[in-house]
Every structure is written in structure tokens, then in C-alpha cells.
Amino acid sequence: MNREILINAAYIVASGLFILGLKMLGRQATARRGNLISGIGMLIATVVTLLDRHVINYTWIVVGLVAGTVIGLACARLVKMTAMPEMVALLNGLGGLASLIVGAAEFMRIRIGESAPVHPAFTAGAIFLAIIIGGVTFTGSIYAFCKLAEWLSGRAVLFGGQHVINGAMIVAMIFAGLVFTVSGDPSTTLLAFLIFTGVSLVLGWTMVMPIGGGDMPVVIALLNSLSGLAACAAGFVISNNVLIVAGCLVGTSGVILSLIMCRAMNRSIANVVFSGFGAKPAATAADGTVAEGELKPISAENVFSVLEAARQVVFIPGYGMAVSQAQHVVRELAEMLEQNGAEVRFAIHPVAGRMPGHMNVLLAEADVPYEQLIEMDAINPLMPTMDVAIVIGANDVVNPAAARDKASPIYGMPIIKAHEARTVICLKRGKGTGFSGLENQLFLLPNSRMLYGDAKSSLQSVIAEFKSLMSA
Ligand code: NAP
């Protein structure tokens, strides 16, 4: 009894540390410490669980621990920031698989008589949930990983009757789950178990199929949430309170993140999951008209001339800045402009890049002062007063079609109004579209100029012009 109280007290401490850590992750200044505090919570939970579970042999646990540590360290060192969504997809998938295995193992233990649940129907229900949510999360995440890593086409894949087939699979899964929970017959239970496990694995794949392009980060957050719910169900299966709490925290934070992203794109979660957005390439504007105007290239020398005279400058970073790792040179150019008498700001769109806070993290890494980062709603009213807007590898988040073109698939998505600045200088490598695959009228506007090339090298060329003037 005393032992049980002690264990649950340790679990409460661990849960408290998770919640405190999560709260601290919400602010840049405290995020690192928050991560550490949550890690300490997890350490307490793991050690207490290992001591509590009457482990007879630690060999495989140590093997798993060493293998996991080596893989984790290698990933932390080698995976690039731009590949974070792929990495999270893999981690979600493994979390789902772990819950599925816990559910299946408990089912086998009950079947061979090694375990006898106090409430058989409740345990069967928890096993069912751990397996179906874990199964959907596993194959859905693996498919999402393949799309993001470009091992498979990143576009939405649609086929006739997709929603009906997915709906039928959900019904079949629930029916098998009911049979599994109420039937006491061993062979019927085994058949039901095999059916819902198999269907959940297929369903994960087919549910991610019609989602593609810029919607993938939302799917990753949703799968993250599902992996938490699967862990929560696994916690009920093995009666582990801290797993239930941790699963709930992951489940709810994944949903909150998905909602934040959907709101920033002015879309609903249902629209993201079911609409098949981006299934076809959009070569023209959404209403069928071809975008008008011409692309006007500009040289680094001429960009320098424009910037030298500018007094109000705003940088608008996007995914291309992350790809070229241009954040340090951006900061260097910003400092030069300030020395030249300009006021410099950085406009931050909530879904610029490939994950929420992506631009904040990169610019913080380059020591850009936090007060220079201005959120979209605060910068937009100032845009008409900007002499120059420098768009660094951003595309969808500055696409005026989102504000003007009612037929555009991204109509209604809030954007940074780069087009309202007096001069817009767009840094990109060529004619590549953004993640949504849509053309961008911004690049054709009379006040836009294109500085072609990798963003980092382009900015280095502009900086070289500044330096040559200073040394002259
Ligand atoms: P984007 O629309 O994906 O556009 C990135 C642009 O960067 C491309 O047009 C590309 O053009 C350019 N680029 C790529 N590599 C470059 C390099 N090395 N140097 C210079 N330019 C380079 O990016 P975004 O404007 O940041 O928009 C983010 C997209 O992700 C949105 O569609 C958003 O809805 C979606 N999304 C984001 C999140 C999130 O949490 N951040 C969540 C959900 C969805 P070139 O190929 O011509 O160079």
C-alpha cells in the first residue's frame, strides 16, 4: 500500500514537471529550461516504472536504452531544421507502433492466461483503442514521412469513393471492436482482433492519401495528437497513471497546434483532412486566368542602391531562408542597414516555413533582437510606410491572391501584405512555387523586383556591395 502511494506520488511529481515544462516551452526565453524540466519528469517516470514493474531481467531494457540513446543523439546532431517535420512524423509513427504493441502484448497475455483483468470489458476496450489509434498513427505517419521526404509524391492523392471506403473501414473497425469487447469466445475474439488491427493499418495510409502540399504540417500535428491518445489508451491497458497523463498532454497539445495552424491558414481541420487540397498542380491563377505582368530581375548592385536610400526596411522570411540557412547573413545585412540610418523590422507569419515558430527559432539562433520580430497583425498596418520589403524565400505567406482572388484555394488565408510596400525585393532561386503549388502574382507586380539565386549567396552579394562602399 505504502509502495503504491509512493509510486503515485512520484507520478504526480513527474506529471507536474511535464505541465510546467510545457508552459515554459511557450516562451522563447524559457523554452530550453522547459525542455530540460520535462525531460527530468520523464526520467522520474521511467525510473519509477522500471522499479515498480517487478522486472526480472534488465538485459533487453538496457539494449533498448543504449540503441535509443545512440539513434536519438545521431538524429539530434544530423537532422536539419528543415527536416524536422519528417523527424516528428517518424517519432509519431514509432509512438503509435509502441502503443499498438503494448495492446497486442496484453491481449496475448490474457489469451494464454498469464494475465486476468479485473474488468475484462474495460481492458478489452482499452486494448481496442490502443491498437486502432496506434495502427492508424503508425501507417499514417510512415506515409506522411515518405511524402515529406519526397520518397513518394507529396501531392494529395484522390480516388473515387475514397471517403465512402474510409467510412466503411471505420464502421468495420468499430463493429469488430464491439465483438472483441463483448464476446467471450476465444476464436471470435482473435478474429475480431486481427480484423481491427489490419483495418487500422490500412486506414492510416488511406486517410493521409488525400492530404498533401502545405497541409502536411497540420497532418503531422494531428498524428502527433493521435500518438498521444494511443499512449493514453495504452496507459489504461497496463494501468499506468503517468502514461495516461503524458498521453493526454500530447493528445491535447497536438490538437491545439493543429488548430493554431488551421486558423493561420483560415481553414478548418475538416477542410484540411477531407478536401484533397493541392491534388492537381495549379499552373494558372485559381479562377483560370493566367497571371499577368512580367518578372523583373534585379542585380545585387541595384538592390544595394535601393537599400542604401531606404529608411524603413522590413525583412519577410519564409521557407527559402531556412533552406539556404541565410539567417546569419540576414542579421548582418540588417545591422548594416541600421548603421546606414534605416529602421529594420522582421515580419513573422505564423505559418512561414514548415512548422510554427520556424522563423523565430532561426532568427533567434542568429541573435536577431527579439523586439525586431513583428507579428503579422502588427506589421500589416505599417506595410504602406515601408520603403523596401525584402522577401527571403517566402511565397505562399505573401501571396496577394489569398486576399484578393475569391477563386484561389488559399483565399482567406491571412498574409503579410508585402505588395503594399513601395518596393518589394524577392529573393528566390527561380520560378518555383510555394508549398501550396500556386503561382504568386506578387512577383509580377510593377513594384516587385526579383533577385535570383540561393538566398544566402544573394544576400552575401548585397553585403559585399555595402562593404566595398564602406572601404572606398
Ligand atoms: P513557401 O510558400 O513554401 O515558399 C518557399 C519559397 O522559397 C519557394 O517559392 C522557393 O522558390 C523559395 N526557396 C526555396 N529554397 C530557396 C533558397 N535556397 N534560396 C532562396 N529561395 C528559396 O514558403 P512560405 O512562404 O514560408 O510558406 C509556408 C507554407 O507552408 C505555406 O503554404 C503554409 O501554409 C505551409 N504550412 C506551414 C506550416 C507552419 O507551421 N510553418 C504549417 C502548415 C502549413 P524557388 O524554388 O524558386 O527558389
Side-chain angles (χ1 to χ4, degrees):
M1 183 62 185
N2 272 348
R3 180 188 167 90
E4 206 169 300
I5 291 174
L6 267 179
I7 285 161
N8 278 320
Y11 282 168
I12 289 174
V13 172
S15 305
L17 292 176
F18 293 159
I19 294 166
L20 183 67
L22 272 180
K23 176 134 186 49
M24 292 171 78
L25 282 174
R27 280 187 48 228
Q28 203 163 318
T30 53
R32 270 171 188 269
R33 232 170 332 129
N35 200 22
L36 184 71
I37 285 178
S38 302
I40 293 171
M42 189 52 82
L43 183 70
I44 294 174
T46 312
V47 170
V48 168
T49 304
L50 286 178
L51 295 178
D52 172 42
R53 294 279 152 166
H54 312 290
V55 178
I56 317 163
N57 187 339
Y58 280 91
T59 316
W60 284 109
I61 291 177
V62 172
V63 170
L65 202 70
V66 172
T69 306
V70 171
I71 296 171
L73 274 177
C75 289
R77 292 225 151 261
L78 301 177
V79 175
K80 289 190 192 148
M81 273 295 271
T82 46
M84 235 18 190
E86 284 99 303
M87 168 99 178
V88 176
L90 265 188
L91 295 178
N92 290 342
L94 293 178
L97 181 63
S99 302
L100 186 149
I101 290 172
V102 168
E106 192 60 18
F107 170 62
M108 294 303 169
R109 264 160 43 86
I110 295 170
R111 229 179 120 70
I112 61 174
E114 213 177 82
S115 163
V118 187
H119 306 289
F122 179 82
T123 305
I127 290 176
F128 165 67
L129 288 176
I131 287 180
I132 60 159
I133 306 175
V136 167
T137 310
F138 174 54
T139 46
S141 300
I142 296 302
Y143 190 21
F145 169 82
C146 292
K147 281 188 171 197
L148 288 166
E150 293 176 5
W151 292 4
L152 293 171
S153 163
R155 290 199 172 281
V157 180
L158 302 178
F159 59 84
Q162 201 159 31
H163 295 323
V164 177
I165 293 171
N166 284 350
M169 281 199 275
I170 292 173
V171 172
M173 222 165 50
I174 293 174
F175 182 70
L178 282 175
V179 173
F180 178 77
T181 310
V182 296
S183 163
D185 176 50
S187 43
T188 312
T189 315
L190 179 63
L191 182 66
F193 167 83
L194 292 174
I195 290 175
F196 66 67
T197 306
V199 173
S200 72
L201 291 170
V202 177
L203 188 65
W205 196 270
T206 56
M207 279 187 82
V208 174
M209 259 186 174
I211 310 168
D215 288 343
M216 285 316 287
V218 182
V219 178
I220 300 296
L222 280 175
L223 289 165
N224 182 237
S225 171
L226 283 184
S227 75
L229 295 180
C232 180
F236 280 109
V237 171
I238 56 170
S239 308
N240 185 294
N241 290 340
V242 81
L243 191 53
I244 296 171
V245 174
C248 285
L249 289 175
V250 175
T252 42
S253 39
V255 169
I256 292 170
L257 192 56
S258 311
L259 288 173
I260 290 174
M261 286 194 254
C262 285
R263 204 173 305 138
M265 295 192 292
N266 197 32
R267 314 255 308 276
S268 67
I269 287 196
N271 180 275
V272 168
V273 176
F274 300 117
S275 73
F277 182 86
K280 292 191 197 92
T284 57
D287 57 3
T289 58
V290 178
E292 282 175 16
E294 55 169 333
L295 296 164
K296 296 166 284 296
I298 186 170
S299 64
E301 199 181 342
N302 286 341
V303 170
F304 161 70
S305 309
V306 175
L307 285 177
E308 203 204 0
R311 285 297 154 262
Q312 296 289 336
V313 178
V314 59
F315 287 95
I316 308 174
Y319 177 64
M321 184 183 85
V323 176
S324 76
Q325 288 293 296
Q327 61 273 23
H328 294 281
V329 276
V330 172
R331 201 242 316 126
E332 198 180 339
L333 179 60
E335 281 174 0
M336 285 180 163
L337 291 170
E338 283 180 314
Q339 281 162 16
N340 191 46
E343 189 173 352
V344 175
R345 296 177 177 89
F346 291 80
I348 307 296
H349 192 286
V351 289
R354 290 294 177 266
M355 57 196 156
H358 199 170
M359 298 300 115
N360 303 61
V361 171
L362 291 176
L363 294 172
E365 179 196 311
D367 290 327
V368 171
Y370 199 60
E371 52 284 2
Q372 284 187 352
L373 310 190
I374 315 290
E375 298 292 333
M376 174 176 65
D377 292 339
I379 197 76
N380 272 341
L382 302 178
M383 288 312 290
T385 66
M386 292 294 140
D387 295 319
V388 184
I390 309 178
V391 178
I392 309 165
N395 194 334
D396 293 343
V397 300
V398 287
N399 190 340
R404 297 174 181 168
D405 179 3
K406 285 193 176 161
S408 171
I410 58 167
Y411 179 71
M413 169 174 144
I415 52 157
I416 292 178
K417 296 178 181 167
H419 56 278
E420 291 186 354
R422 285 183 198 117
T423 304
V424 188
I425 295 169
C426 306
L427 276 65
K428 66 203 296 284
R429 296 162 306 179
K431 293 185 178 174
T433 54
F435 207 174
S436 69
L438 298 168
E439 294 292 337
N440 193 338
Q441 190 83 44
L442 171 74
F443 306 139
L444 305 170
L445 293 178
N447 57 335
S448 288
R449 297 290 179 274
M450 308 300 295
L451 180 56
Y452 287 120
D454 174 73
K456 187 173 171 183
S457 346
S458 296
L459 289 167
Q460 279 167 337
S461 309
V462 177
I463 288 171
E465 293 290 333
F466 262 95
K467 283 185 177 159
S468 65
L469 177 87
M470 281 173 196
S471 57

